[in-house]
Amino acid sequence: MNLRKRNKGTVEVHTSALNDIMFFLMLFFLLASAVVNPQVVKLLLPRSESGQQSNAQKTVTVSIDEKLNYFVDKQPTSLEGLQSAIETYQKASPDLTIVLYVARGVSIENTMLVFDVANKLKLKVVLAVEPKK
C-alpha cells in the first residue's frame, strides 16, 4: 500500500496560435462592419493640414446662417426651393459636388435637410470646416 502522493505534471495551454486567429477574426469583422452599414452619411472631409483643395469638376456652395436662412451660391433661397435651385446647377454639370457651409450653433437637423436634398439628387456633399490654429 503506497500512501505517498504522486507528483503530477503541470498542465499548460499554449495560446499563441489562438491569439493570431483572434486577431484575424477581429480584423475581418471590423472590415466587414464598415462595408455592411449603408445608412452611414458619407462625407468628403477637406484636409486642413495639407492644403489640398477638392478636385471636383464643378462645385456649388450651400450656406446656412444663424437665422436658418439658406443660400445657394450667395443667392437666398427657401428650404422648399433648395432642391430646385440645386437641380439647375446639376443640369449644367452632372458630377456636381455641394460644399456646405454651416454657421456654428445651427442644429444638425437643419444641416441634414441639405444632405437629404443631396441624397435625392445623388450628389456628393463636402462639409466645410475651419482649420485649427
Side-chain angles (χ1 to χ4, degrees), residues 7-14:
N7 290 334
K8 294 183 180 179
T10 61
V11 178
E12 295 180 11
V13 177
H14 298 284

Side-chain angles (χ1 to χ4, degrees), residues 48-85:
S48 61
E49 292 179 14
S50 67
Q52 295 178 352
Q53 296 291 326
S54 175
N55 58 359
Q57 298 292 334
K58 175 72 176 150
T59 61
V60 61
T61 60
V62 176
S63 304
I64 307 173
D65 65 0
E66 298 87 9
K67 297 177 184 175
L68 300 180
N69 296 322
Y70 292 85
F71 300 91
V72 177
D73 272 347
K74 298 183 182 178
Q75 299 296 322
T77 183
S78 65
L79 180 60
E80 295 79 21
L82 184 66
Q83 183 170 349
S84 62

Side-chain angles (χ1 to χ4, degrees), residues 5 9 11 24 37-38 47 57 65 71 79 87 92 94 98-99:
K5 293 183 179 178
V11 178
F24 284 119
N37 194 354
R47 295 181 184 208
Q57 298 292 334
D65 65 0
F71 300 91
L79 180 60
E87 281 177 341
I98 298 174
V99 180

